[in-house]
């Protein structure tokens, strides 16, 4: 019997999502009994030509992790889309933009300046910046273009399913592949994780007060954390109430607040706005001065509430007034 073919690919990614596939351990052997891995360049010796050689739609599914920033990532995402019956946005970066998406707080030219000119460890007397084309003695070299902003996979190609998490929990990965093989995937557009808030599966849920008010926000290194008590009740910003379940509350179980990598449930439009409003509703402060004090206790508000989802948010990115001219110089 011919096995369905699948592909794994990474775009703007840290490699953690690929590790998560390897972390399946022995379950990976069960999966390769059921499917043929036809393209997985990070782990096996596949080349672009192997993908080109496949017929359109020949792959049953492509699991693509990482956000999209460069022209090469966009080109590969489009090619995989053409070759695949289904595309799964794998992990927070592909689904929401992820941590690399925080680069959308800066213009692309500012990022290049920092990395190639201003970083203390850089010596670049000629002020060279990467060029898309460069002639050397051996011939012409080319580099992918660096895009104007970080985009989610769904902002570039049509996506069929989403596997959330940073990285996705191995149980959800195995269930997704099994559902694919058995033809039991839900309707297009589904997020392959429970559609309830994380608090519902948190071992600390029973200790979360019905009426919770926070008098001071604290960061994990500023407090000796009670291992049983709800973290929000201890003044730690735990985003469990705004975040989708499916990770078995791994972070609160490990004494760390949820930072929101599983993204929102289906009823939420903008994850960061939802998380911000969930936390703001807990403020126990009278008057503007006290409110300002509480707010000042939240270090890096964008990084706290939009850590994984800035490109997917209604804002998408920060634009400075002169951005448009700069963009035209560097956009693909
Ligand atoms: S979702 Fe997390 S683990 Fe996966 S590539 Fe992005 S940062 Fe890495
Ligand atoms: S620790 Fe976090 S996830 Fe657990 S019940 Fe409290 S707020 Fe919810």
């Amino acid at each position: 019997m011919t096995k369905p073919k699948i592909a794994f690919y990474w775009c703007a990614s840290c490699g953690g999502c690929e590790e998560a596939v390897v972390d399946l351990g022995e379950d990976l052997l069960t999966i390769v009994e059921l499917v043929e891995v036809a393209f997985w360049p990070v782990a096996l010796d596949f080349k672009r030509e192997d993908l080109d050689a496949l017929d359109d739609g020949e792959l049953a599914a492509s699991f693509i992790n990482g956000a999209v920033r460069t022209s090469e990532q966009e080109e590969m995402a489009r090619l995989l889309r053409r070759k695949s019956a289904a595309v799964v946005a794998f992990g927070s970066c592909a689904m929401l933009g992820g941590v690399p998406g925080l680069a959308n707080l800066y213009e692309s030219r500012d990022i290049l300046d920092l990395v190639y000119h201003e970083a203390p460890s850089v010596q670049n007397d000629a002020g060279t910046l990467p060029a898309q084309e460069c002639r050397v003695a051996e011939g012409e070299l080319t580099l992918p273009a660096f895009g104007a902003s970080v985009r989610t996979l769904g902002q570039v190609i049509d996506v069929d399913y989403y596997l959330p998490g940073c990285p996705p929990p191995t149980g959800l990965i195995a269930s997704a592949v099994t559902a694919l093989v058995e033809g039991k995937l839900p309707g297009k557009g589904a997020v392959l994780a429970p559609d309830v808030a994380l608090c519902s599966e948190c071992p600390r849920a029973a200790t979360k007060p019905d009426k919770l008010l926070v008098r001071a926000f604290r960061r994990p290194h500023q407090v000796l954390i009670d291992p049983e008590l709800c973290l929000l009740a201890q003044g730690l910003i735990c985003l469990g109430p705004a975040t989708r379940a499916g990770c078995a509350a791994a972070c609160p179980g490990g004494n760390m607040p949820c930072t929101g990598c599983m993204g929102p449930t289906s009823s939420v439009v903008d994850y960061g706005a939802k998380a911000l409003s969930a936390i703001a509703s807990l403020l126990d402060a009278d008057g503007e001065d006290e409110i300002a004090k509480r707010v000042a206790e939240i270090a890096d508000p964008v990084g706290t509430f939009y850590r994984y989802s800035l490109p997917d948010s209604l804002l998408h990115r920060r634009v400075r007034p002169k951005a448009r001219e700069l963009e035209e110089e560097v956009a693909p």
Side-chain angles (χ1 to χ4, degrees):
M1 194 185 78
T2 325
K3 296 190 212 173
K5 292 181 179 158
I6 64 169
F8 295 104
Y9 193 69
W10 62 352
C11 292
S13 149
C14 74
C17 281
E18 306 279 353
E19 292 270 0
V21 178
V22 176
D23 276 352
L24 285 165
E26 306 84 60
D27 286 346
L28 194 53
L29 299 176
T30 314
I31 286 174
V32 293
E33 291 275 300
L34 302 172
V35 296
E36 179 187 335
V37 178
F39 190 66
W40 191 10
V42 80
L44 301 161
D45 187 18
F46 287 109
K47 301 282 186 272
R48 157 83 187 248
E49 296 75 60
D50 298 310
L51 188 56
D52 283 328
L54 297 173
D55 289 337
D56 287 358
E58 188 173 340
L59 292 166
S62 283
F63 294 82
I64 305 178
N65 72 78
V68 180
R69 177 95 212 204
T70 68
S71 55
E72 182 190 38
Q73 290 156 357
E74 176 165 355
E75 186 185 327
M76 289 301 289
R78 290 189 189 283
L79 181 59
L80 282 160
R81 174 66 276 181
R82 190 150 56 78
K83 302 289 179 183
S84 311
V87 165
V88 181
F90 187 101
S92 311
C93 294
M95 180 174 163
L96 305 167
V99 172
L102 287 171
N104 284 3
L105 291 170
Y106 305 92
E107 305 300 339
S108 29
R109 171 54 73 92
D110 294 341
I111 295 169
L112 292 174
D113 269 345
L114 176 66
V115 173
Y116 290 96
H117 298 152
E118 294 160 13
S121 55
V122 167
Q123 185 172 359
N124 179 4
D125 297 336
T128 308
L129 280 175
Q132 277 179 254
E133 286 167 12
C134 175
R135 176 150 287 287
V136 291
E138 292 78 11
E140 183 97 10
L141 298 176
T142 57
L143 277 178
F146 186 62
S149 69
V150 174
R151 288 174 290 167
T152 69
L153 189 63
Q155 287 165 349
V156 175
I157 58 169
D158 187 34
V159 168
D160 298 288
Y161 299 105
Y162 300 86
L163 247 180
C166 181
T170 49
L172 293 186
I173 301 171
S175 308
V177 176
T178 310
L180 171 79
V181 171
E182 294 176 351
K184 291 185 180 161
L185 279 170
K188 184 178 162 81
V191 178
L192 305 176
D195 198 12
V196 290
L198 181 70
C199 295
S200 66
E201 64 180 11
C202 177
R204 298 172 190 253
T207 67
K208 186 177 170 199
D210 289 337
K211 196 161 172 17
L212 180 56
L213 288 173
V214 178
R215 283 216 67 82
F217 289 117
R218 294 177 293 181
R219 300 176 72 189
H221 65 278
Q222 295 172 323
V223 54
L224 197 57
I225 300 174
D226 180 323
E228 311 281 337
L229 187 61
C230 169
L231 294 159
L232 263 181
Q234 300 182 55
L236 294 152
I237 297 185
C238 181
L239 299 181
T243 303
R244 187 182 281 263
C247 61
C251 294
N255 234 17
M256 287 304 286
C258 166
T259 55
C261 76
M262 293 291 285
T265 58
S266 60
S267 60
V268 173
V269 175
D270 184 306
Y271 174 83
K274 173 71 180 173
L276 178 60
S277 105
I279 297 300
S281 68
L282 307 177
L283 274 190
D284 185 9
D286 290 324
E288 281 187 24
D289 287 354
E290 237 186 281
I291 291 173
K293 239 194 237 169
R294 290 294 83 76
V295 171
E297 286 162 1
I298 302 175
D300 185 12
V302 182
T304 298
F305 299 112
Y306 285 100
R307 181 171 305 180
Y308 304 95
S309 65
L310 185 58
D312 184 60
S313 70
L314 296 172
L315 296 172
H316 181 67
R317 59 178 292 201
R318 179 158 67 180
V319 179
R320 284 199 280 109
K322 63 180 195 132
R324 301 217 188 284
E325 318 153 26
L326 294 176
E327 247 169 44
E328 276 159 24
E329 289 173 41
V330 291

